[in-house]
Amino acid sequence: MNESIIRKRLKGNVFDGGQEICRIPRNMLMELTNHCNDSCLFCANSKCTRPGRTIDPELAERIIREAYGLGTRELGFYQTGEPLLDKNLERYISLAKDLGYEYVYITTNGALCTEERAAAILAAGIDSIKFSINASNPKDYLLVHGKDEFDRVIENLICVDRLRKKMQKKVSLYISYVATRYTMDGKDEFREKYKQYVDDILFMDCKNVGGTMKKEIEGCLSCNERTDDDLGQEACFMVFNRLHVTSEGYLTMCCVDYQNYLAVADLNRESLKDAWNNSYARELRKKHLEHKLEGTMCYNCMKNCIGKVSPLRADLASEFDADEWDKTKEVMARIKKRESM
């Protein structure tokens, strides 16, 4: 997002020591779990060393209530893991809608979105469901997702479309498709086959989002010969305009913070209101506006590089060596397997 737009949106916030004290955002993402039943080639989840867990139900409900009381009105249940792995998903959706949240949504790989589960999610009041389907056929799906579940996912997608009409639910249904050099040719065919079931299909080229996949993306997966060293971003909107709650109950400043390097507070011990404007959060926002992000995960993401980074709070992070945190061997093994099929 252009920095001038960010500054415009910050108008009306107060300042303390030259740092913006931001209003609580209207939008929040809550990571119900960091476990995932897929291992997508372009995603850092499968190489993550952060312990896997599912959010504590009492904590999740407290944060949902607290955020609403502070003015948050949009709530997404996903981040680095698969939300349908949490059996309490429907309960959280229902709570959010009962409180008055205007827009509640999920992104899912869809493999677990059976007819029974889909009906329950729709009945709970979900406003939007996005399926992440990153291939146009079973062979390529196995390559990218690491699971032979293409047909099942498509069946589940069609089922959701059928159910939303049968149940007369005004639910938006979308597909996102992250293309690699091996799957980009299937985009047009995919669109023609499945556009009838959804409201829109979003195609994206795989990139080093989050600053954690440069080696794998550029070396094996990028649709181009190389990606830009500087992605051209002046400041990232997420640290100003969205809350991100992890499965541990931490407040982080990014939706793809796999190792909690941008975690600024433990919401088990600190209120959401205090956490959003604590010294760690304010300092990171200041660095964005002053373009002094060296040494942070934000810098690696925005400059598309692998530099030495440190967590904002070492006590909340699972530290790693950026030079060694690499799943190129896994990626290449799956590519070779595909080519031999």
Side-chain angles (χ1 to χ4, degrees):
M1 179 177 290
N2 186 280
E3 186 177 319
S4 63
I5 297 176
I6 291 175
R7 288 187 180 275
K8 183 177 181 180
R9 291 187 179 181
L10 287 172
K11 188 176 181 180
N13 291 316
V14 298
F15 290 77
D16 179 14
Q19 298 181 59
E20 290 83 355
I21 298 181
C22 292
R23 291 166 291 187
I24 296 293
R26 281 183 56 84
N27 187 273
M28 177 170 70
L29 291 185
M30 178 173 285
E31 177 186 72
L32 301 184
T33 181
N34 62 335
H35 291 289
C36 189
N37 52 315
D38 281 0
S39 57
C40 293
L41 289 183
F42 51 76
C43 177
N45 180 281
S46 63
K47 67 176 184 176
C48 189
T49 63
R50 170 182 158 215
R53 64 175 299 157
T54 298
I55 197 167
D56 176 74
E58 290 187 9
L59 176 64
E61 293 190 3
R62 192 206 87 197
I63 294 171
I64 291 169
R65 294 178 186 276
E66 188 176 352
Y68 185 82
L70 293 168
T72 302
R73 292 296 180 267
E74 300 174 353
L75 177 55
F77 290 110
Y78 67 94
Q79 272 184 194
T80 70
E82 169 52 50
L84 270 74
L85 287 171
D86 188 346
K87 63 182 180 180
N88 292 311
L89 171 61
E90 293 88 336
R91 168 178 162 186
Y92 301 140
I93 295 170
S94 181
L95 170 63
K97 296 306 295 184
D98 287 345
L99 286 171
Y101 276 89
E102 298 166 9
Y103 185 62
V104 179
Y105 58 105
I106 61 169
T107 290
T108 172
N109 58 45
L112 302 176
C113 199
T114 61
E115 181 173 2
E116 180 180 5
R117 196 76 192 275
I121 291 170
L122 291 171
I126 194 79
D127 294 295
S128 173
I129 302 172
K130 179 162 69 68
F131 276 58
S132 179
I133 307 174
N134 304 295
S136 62
N137 58 73
K139 181 178 178 180
D140 288 345
Y141 190 92
L142 176 60
L143 166 68
V144 174
H145 287 257
K147 294 288 184 67
D148 185 14
E149 295 178 332
F150 179 80
D151 292 338
R152 176 191 301 176
V153 170
I154 294 299
E155 288 176 5
N156 290 347
L157 174 77
I158 296 171
C159 177
V160 172
D161 180 46
R162 183 178 68 251
L163 282 173
R164 66 173 174 163
K165 295 171 181 174
K166 179 181 179 181
M167 298 171 68
Q168 298 183 337
K169 295 290 185 178
K170 294 182 178 180
V171 177
S172 298
L173 183 58
Y174 303 105
I175 299 173
S176 63
Y177 184 121
V178 178
T180 70
R181 68 183 62 168
Y182 300 95
T183 57
M184 61 185 299
D185 292 339
K187 293 191 293 185
D188 291 341
E189 175 190 1
F190 185 87
R191 181 188 291 109
E192 289 305 309
K193 289 182 68 173
Y194 303 115
K195 65 182 182 181
Q196 62 183 304
Y197 303 110
V198 298
D199 298 291
D200 198 8
I201 302 177
L202 175 64
F203 293 98
M204 301 167 284
D205 291 343
C206 65
K207 293 183 178 179
N208 180 29
V209 179
T212 57
M213 292 289 292
K214 180 178 175 67
K215 291 180 181 179
E216 299 92 332
I217 298 296
E218 291 193 354
C220 311
L221 300 171
S222 173
C223 297
N224 303 305
E225 290 185 4
R226 62 182 298 279
T227 55
D228 295 334
D229 293 332
D230 188 338
L231 300 185
Q233 293 173 273
E234 297 173 335
C236 179
F237 81 94
M238 285 192 285
V239 302
F240 299 92
N241 292 339
R242 193 162 70 191
L243 298 162
H244 307 89
V245 178
T246 74
S247 55
E248 296 92 345
Y250 301 159
L251 179 68
T252 180
M253 306 304 284
C254 180
C255 62
V256 285
D257 184 14
Y258 290 94
Q259 300 287 111
N260 287 335
Y261 264 51
L262 297 176
V264 296
D266 183 352
L267 297 177
N268 294 278
R269 302 179 179 181
E270 188 172 352
S271 73
L272 186 60
K273 180 179 180 180
D274 291 340
W276 178 243
N277 279 302
N278 71 14
S279 60
Y280 299 99
R282 290 162 59 196
E283 182 62 27
L284 182 63
R285 289 193 285 263
K286 181 181 178 183
K287 288 181 178 180
H288 271 264
L289 293 175
E290 294 180 349
H291 312 300
K292 296 179 179 179
L293 290 166
E294 291 85 348
T296 69
M297 287 295 297
C298 296
Y299 186 86
N300 280 4
C301 177
M302 297 172 69
K303 298 298 182 180
N304 189 32
C305 63
I306 306 178
K308 183 175 176 57
V309 296
S310 299
L312 300 184
R313 289 189 56 172
D315 60 320
L316 303 182
S318 297
E319 296 198 47
F320 68 99
D321 186 327
D323 291 323
E324 298 179 358
W325 208 48
D326 184 5
K327 68 172 189 178
T328 300
K329 289 183 179 180
E330 174 193 341
V331 172
M332 290 305 303
R334 278 160 60 175
I335 291 171
K336 289 180 179 178
K337 182 178 180 179
R338 173 189 181 272
E339 292 174 345
S340 67
M341 293 175 66

